[in-house]
Amino acid sequence: MQDRYDPKSIEPRWQAHWASKDLFRAGNRPGAPKKYVLAMLPYPSGEMHMGHARVYCITDVLARYARKRGFDVLHPFGWDAFGLPAENAAIKEGVHPAERTPRNIASFKKDVISLGISVDWSTELSTSDPAYYRWNQWFFLRMLERGLVYRRRAKVNFCPSCNTVLANEQVEEGRCWRCGSVVVEREIPEWAFRITAYADRLLEGLNRIDWPERVVAMQRNWIGRSDGLEIDFAVKGARRKAFRVFTTRADTIYGATYMAVAPDHPLVMELAPESRKAGLQAFAEKVRRATKEVGEGAQAAEKEGVDAGIRAKNPFTGKEIPVWVANFVLAGYGTGAVMSVPAHDERDYEFARKYDLPIVPVIRPGDDSEPPKDKAYTDYGVLMDSGEFSGMPSEQARLAIAAEAQRRGIGKPAVNYHLRDWGVSRQRYWGTPIPIVYCPKDDPEGKGIPVPDSDLPVKLPDIDVKEVLTGMGEPPLAKVASWVNTECPICGGPARREAETMDTFVDSAWYWARYLDPHNDREPFSRAQADRWLPIDVYVGGPEHAVLHLLYFRFWTKVMQELGLCAIDEPAQKLVTQGIVKGRDGEKMSKSKGNVVSPREIIDEFGADTARLFILFAAPAEKDMDWSDEQVQGQHRFLGRVWRLIQGNLQTIEGVKAGGPPDDLRRRTHKTILRVTQQLERLQFNTAISSLMELSNAATDWSGAPGSLREALEVLVQLLAPFAPHTAEELWRGLGHTEELSRLQWPDADPALVVDDAYQIAVQVNGKLRGEVQVAASANDAEIRDMASRDPKVAGWLQGKTVKKVVVVPKRLVNFVVA
Ligand SMILES: [Zn+2]
Ligand SMILES: [Zn+2]
């Protein structure tokens, strides 16, 4: 064993050794229960940044720990290789994306390996590989057959600087999610996935997964289900013409004193008096312009409107009410018309005050308190001045009024969603070609003819970058005549290929399932592999994908289940969203701020194990972490101390057997095993590292039996292994062992030595004894249940089963009732 702790000589050696023994191959333990640990697919930007490093450190600790607990672990890796950055760089520098991408991948991969991440590289895939994206095309065709993808002419969000369409999820406050440019509206034909058909299933599934509450809430809001009433407001003097509105507050209908409709609502120009038409047109034009400037996602700050000169009838009061055209009603959302109840809605109230429209309260607070003055009363309450419904509570009146509307044939219960279909056509080159051709003979309307499965993949053509990737004009592929001109699969005559490519979020929607079977050329992945490995047990990535990737991949899973590809319909059981890594100045790292620290710098200076400990120790996984040079050095010193501790005691413990009669250090050692195990189960990596530091200090101060010391040092190294694997392997050798520490089981705490801190508990499955686990004395019922279910033996019995009920008898047993 070397005298000095020298990570540079240790780390590459162990990385090469692990690779040569293929230690991290999934499927190594066929009989054992499985654990699928996954980091979000990175875009291969050439260099791994701190955010990436943080994700991989988290998944790596979990993967290494799970292997030691006896699980068969899948910890795969791949590349989200299509996309705009490579194409934009090509436009700027003239380097073909197909040339740049592999270089970037090689460099990024080197970084991942040098961080000591225990990846099964046999799973490696790249989404720009035709062997991968042919299955995107295959999915597209299967979804086309089922009506889940369709061609529409739609107003789309268009980013003028990326020169492409964006999905709603990709517009943030009116700006492009990627480049920040102001998004404009364009109407063009595009392909769209019918994700809205899954709105309720996407909502329901959220109840069955262990995801951060914040992400669940964001998805719920984004899907935005609201239950209400669709009801017609007849137009005065125009028989059979009516404005249809959707409301979730039918109980307030007696207070509807005006209507607000979208400027381009088709009935406006049809019904408005001639004298008003010019003014209405001008207003509509002004709103269009404003929408272009701020983007549709952003609500215009100032509510504006124009009296359209149309009069409607409130179907419940029978009173005539004015119809206003307003800039806050969007034609694309709901029915494009709303009933305005200024007494009970803030926005309607503001508008009514501005234009001097009547405000008629019809709901009073249920507890007889005074309703607020000078603003709307928006809560539920009790109805007043509402005819036969007066005195009824809001909740009940909503239903009663809806029923009455239905009885009179003017309305029906309706559900509205905020979620829109997912537009996937992109006017870019570096993506999956959409497997469609257009034949003027067989397809005069341009609906699109599917490319036969036998002709997949439709490969991207090689191109002259300078000619094709100009960033201007028609989609790049349309300029490649030899590619775009093809034969019609029906008549064999001349036809044109679809020149647009798929949104790259399609690539990331199912890559996690391809990892199970990345070389399969007959199907996306085999059912047997899906049944073995899915769902993902722990998924780690950034919360910024909450309504993008994290929604799309749930949708895709439901489709895959319908196609019979897998049994599951939720892809990831547990999601961990890691916080951001801030730069030295406490700001989010960014190139423009010049505060970026690269993991490569730390690895070069202090070694990967220091980088890993720093990243895991600086903050709990979900919290933001600050960069600190001092803490990096502190972790490096800790590893140096452990090294010297062992090095300096080798003679003392030479030939001594670990263990012996109970003493303080032995108790301390076994309590540390217990504690670190609990902390790992709870993903409390930072406190787990603190526990290791404490054990190291206790061993440093020890002057008793050498057997106790040997045991403490061996356990310290074993517990250190998931966090600082290279150093731990080297120290393990130093302690005289020959087997790889990475292969070694996690140590067990001796119950006799932790009596005050823990107890053994029996675990049953359907009343039969299936295992025994050690539980910390402080654990509550939920933690006892979790500990028991994660025990590998028990996990084997629970795998593939639905847990109906869990009975916890503290200090005695846990029984899982399964079906
Ligand atoms: Zn953009
Ligand atoms: Zn044809």
Side-chain angles (χ1 to χ4, degrees):
M1 201 176 150
Q2 296 170 5
D3 290 345
R4 230 181 93 251
Y5 174 49
D6 178 21
K8 259 176 235 154
S9 73
I10 298 172
E11 293 180 348
R13 183 153 42 80
W14 280 106
Q15 286 154 13
H17 182 83
W18 293 327
S20 73
K21 295 276 173 111
D22 206 9
L23 284 188
F24 309 129
R25 172 81 73 136
N28 267 346
R29 299 177 203 186
K34 66 93 182 179
K35 187 81 84 183
Y36 185 177
V37 181
L38 182 63
M40 275 183 196
L41 184 73
Y43 179 81
S45 49
E47 194 172 326
M48 177 171 77
H49 61 62
M50 284 307 300
H52 292 126
R54 192 172 187 198
V55 176
Y56 309 144
C57 285
I58 295 168
T59 59
D60 195 53
V61 169
L62 294 174
R64 286 177 180 273
Y65 171 68
R67 286 189 202 100
K68 289 179 165 296
R69 293 299 304 267
F71 287 93
D72 192 3
V73 172
L74 173 59
H75 187 213
F77 214 94
W79 312 100
D80 195 12
F82 272 143
L84 285 178
E87 186 163 341
N88 289 342
I91 293 168
K92 235 163 114 185
E93 296 157 30
V95 183
H96 196 298
E99 205 184 306
R100 173 187 299 267
T101 305
R103 279 208 309 263
N104 283 354
I105 287 177
S107 148
F108 198 123
K109 182 172 174 178
K110 222 177 98 212
D111 287 354
V112 176
I113 292 172
S114 71
L115 193 57
I117 306 301
S118 62
V119 166
D120 175 358
W121 287 106
S122 75
T123 60
E124 185 177 8
L125 63 82
S126 168
T127 57
S128 63
D129 182 347
Y132 180 80
Y133 69 68
R134 75 175 283 185
W135 300 109
N136 287 346
Q137 297 171 339
W138 182 89
F139 275 117
F140 185 96
L141 296 175
R142 298 295 83 77
M143 284 156 89
L144 189 67
E145 287 160 5
R146 283 166 174 71
L148 292 176
V149 65
Y150 63 99
R151 190 124 174 101
R152 66 178 178 188
R153 218 183 149 74
K155 282 198 184 131
V156 295
N157 309 301
F158 193 86
C159 173
S161 119
C162 297
N163 201 29
T164 190
V165 169
L166 302 171
N168 279 0
E169 288 81 3
Q170 295 158 3
V171 181
E172 291 163 357
E173 293 177 354
R175 288 171 181 274
C176 170
W177 71 284
R178 210 192 55 76
C179 75
S181 303
V182 170
V183 170
V184 297
E185 195 179 84
R186 280 205 191 158
E187 193 177 296
I188 54 170
E190 64 162 5
W191 293 97
F193 288 126
R194 212 179 288 282
I195 189 171
T196 53
Y198 292 78
D200 281 328
R201 293 178 57 190
L202 287 165
L203 279 174
E204 180 276 324
L206 291 172
N207 303 325
R208 290 185 276 125
I209 49 182
D210 178 12
W211 283 25
E213 200 37 60
R214 187 164 57 123
V215 175
V216 169
M218 280 172 79
Q219 292 212 352
R220 242 187 220 120
N221 286 337
W222 185 259
I223 297 165
R225 180 186 164 114
S226 47
D227 287 86
L229 169 69
E230 223 170 63
I231 183 167
D232 288 338
F233 279 58
V235 175
K236 195 188 157 224
R239 276 157 57 104
R240 283 197 289 275
K241 297 280 182 202
F243 285 99
R244 175 157 296 178
V245 307
F246 172 81
T247 177
T248 56
R249 290 296 305 270
D251 56 313
T252 65
I253 199 164
Y254 282 82
T257 54
Y258 66 98
M259 302 191 72
V261 304
D264 43 359
H265 192 294
L267 282 183
V268 170
M269 278 304 161
E270 188 183 331
L271 301 174
E274 279 309 317
S275 59
R276 306 242 178 166
K277 281 189 177 163
L280 287 166
Q281 227 144 22
F283 181 73
E285 187 46 44
K286 185 176 150 198
V287 173
R288 258 197 297 277
R289 263 201 317 275
T291 308
K292 259 184 202 157
E293 268 162 36
V294 298
E296 191 174 337
Q299 283 287 345
E302 182 66 24
K303 314 274 178 277
E304 290 186 354
V306 175
D307 186 345
I310 306 168
R311 296 293 173 262
K313 199 175 95 176
N314 180 319
F316 276 77
T317 63
K319 281 190 187 138
E320 198 174 280
I321 59 173
V323 176
W324 282 63
V325 161
N327 66 347
F328 57 82
V329 187
L330 302 174
Y333 279 77
T335 60
V338 297
M339 69 174 209
S340 298
V341 185
H344 303 295
D345 179 279
E346 276 309 332
R347 190 187 59 191
D348 297 350
Y349 181 87
E350 245 181 76
F351 193 83
R353 290 298 294 261
K354 180 167 178 180
Y355 294 106
D356 205 17
L357 293 157
I359 299 171
V360 178
V362 293
I363 308 283
R364 58 178 169 79
D367 57 4
D368 289 323
S369 59
E370 280 295 306
K373 303 240 182 308
D374 300 325
K375 63 184 226 195
Y377 175 67
T378 56
D379 289 346
Y380 279 163
V382 176
L383 275 66
M384 58 184 194
D385 298 328
S386 296
E388 58 185 290
F389 304 98
S390 297
M392 218 182 248
S394 289
E395 293 89 337
Q396 192 188 339
R398 275 180 66 195
L399 303 174
I401 288 172
E404 172 63 12
Q406 195 164 16
R407 194 189 62 75
R408 281 158 55 184
I410 53 168
K412 60 176 193 310
V415 180
N416 244 9
Y417 296 93
H418 175 262
L419 184 68
R420 304 286 111 184
D421 279 339
W422 171 16
V424 290
S425 296
R426 297 291 180 272
Q427 295 69 35
R428 305 300 301 227
Y429 166 74
W430 194 232
T432 303
I434 294 174
I436 290 289
V437 299
Y438 299 98
C439 168
K441 193 162 142 263
D442 295 299
D443 175 32
E445 287 169 59
K447 284 194 180 132
I449 299 169
V451 171
D453 278 12
S454 53
D455 290 352
L456 299 185
V458 177
K459 284 193 196 170
L460 280 177
D462 196 10
I463 51 163
D464 181 328
V465 171
K466 291 210 175 68
E467 251 168 54
V468 175
L469 298 185
T470 56
M472 318 234 263
E474 46 182 355
L477 285 174
K479 299 174 198 165
V480 187
S482 61
W483 183 86
V484 81
N485 295 316
T486 185
E487 267 173 26
C488 167
I490 298 173
C491 69
R496 270 179 80 79
R497 288 191 188 281
E498 172 61 79
E500 297 182 350
T501 52
M502 293 184 205
D503 185 1
T504 51
F505 278 102
V506 171
D507 306 337
S508 51
W510 71 282
Y511 74 99
W512 49 277
R514 180 70 178 172
Y515 278 144
L516 314 180
D517 202 3
H519 309 294
N520 195 332
D521 59 2
R522 289 158 301 149
E523 54 195 345
F525 51 90
S526 83
R527 179 65 195 246
Q529 290 298 321
D531 290 344
R532 166 70 173 152
W533 291 106
L534 300 182
I536 301 161
D537 293 282
V538 189
Y539 194 26
V540 184
E544 68 274 17
H545 295 289
V547 293
L548 292 159
H549 162 64
L550 289 173
L551 188 64
Y552 298 145
F553 92 135
R554 296 185 54 227
F555 158 65
W556 209 272
T557 309
K558 292 173 198 308
V559 175
M560 293 199 304
Q561 188 201 45
E562 283 175 7
L563 293 171
L565 288 165
C566 58
I568 56 153
D569 77 333
E570 283 295 336
Q573 185 49 39
K574 184 175 180 60
L575 173 72
V576 177
T577 51
Q578 92 284 1
I580 58 169
V581 184
K582 295 179 181 167
R584 287 192 174 95
D585 52 0
E587 299 283 315
K588 187 176 175 170
M589 283 193 196
S590 81
K591 273 204 183 118
S592 58
K593 290 198 192 100
N595 63 349
V596 176
V597 186
S598 103
R600 208 178 265 175
E601 287 169 39
I602 316 166
I603 295 171
D604 287 349
E605 191 172 352
F606 299 103
D609 283 345
T610 293
R612 295 168 61 111
L613 282 182
F614 163 67
I615 287 170
L616 294 164
F617 184 73
E622 328 76 55
K623 297 271 161 48
D624 291 352
M625 62 177 269
D626 289 314
W627 184 262
S628 156
D629 292 309
E630 259 159 61
Q631 276 197 35
V632 174
Q633 286 153 16
Q635 293 301 334
H636 191 61
R637 281 196 303 272
F638 167 57
L639 288 172
R641 276 201 305 277
V642 173
W643 187 274
R644 285 193 304 279
L645 170 64
I646 289 171
Q647 164 77 23
N649 279 297
L650 283 179
Q651 276 185 331
T652 318
I653 60 174
E654 168 113 55
V656 175
K657 205 167 162 301
D663 57 29
D664 282 354
L665 185 59
R666 291 206 64 209
R667 271 189 282 273
R668 182 52 158 282
T669 300
H670 285 263
K671 285 178 183 179
T672 304
I673 295 175
L674 190 70
R675 204 169 297 156
V676 173
T677 306
Q678 289 276 336
Q679 286 156 339
L680 276 169
E681 293 287 345
R682 295 174 189 156
L683 313 187
Q684 293 166 348
F685 308 126
N686 54 333
T687 53
I689 294 168
S690 297
S691 304
L692 295 177
M693 292 172 168
E694 285 163 27
L695 179 59
S696 157
N697 291 341
T700 307
D701 297 341
W702 182 248
S703 54
S708 305
L709 182 59
R710 174 171 273 278
E711 183 182 59
L713 299 180
E714 294 201 338
V715 165
L716 176 62
V717 170
Q718 289 184 64
L719 299 183
L720 191 62
F723 302 96
H726 315 85
T727 310
E729 289 274 18
E730 192 72 14
L731 289 171
W732 192 244
R733 284 276 152 103
L735 284 162
H737 299 278
T738 48
E739 74 276 53
E740 291 91 5
L741 184 52
S742 298
R743 272 195 225 265
L744 211 67
Q745 286 283 307
W746 192 245
D748 282 321
D750 179 346
L753 291 166
V754 293
V755 272
D756 353 324
D757 287 34
Y759 54 87
Q760 297 287 117
I761 193 166
V763 188
Q764 303 177 338
V765 178
N766 285 346
K768 289 206 179 67
L769 183 69
R770 296 302 186 194
E772 223 187 19
V773 291
Q774 197 158 48
V775 176
S778 62
N780 61 28
D781 282 10
E783 285 168 347
I784 295 172
R785 196 185 56 210
D786 285 356
M787 266 318 265
S789 69
R790 289 191 199 126
D791 178 78
K793 266 204 234 100
V794 178
W797 287 100
L798 296 178
Q799 197 151 300
K801 308 245 169 59
T802 312
V803 175
K804 296 262 175 203
K805 204 170 109 186
V806 186
V807 182
V808 179
V809 184
K811 316 251 164 182
R812 283 192 41 217
L813 67 83
V814 184
N815 181 27
F816 292 90
V817 181
V818 301

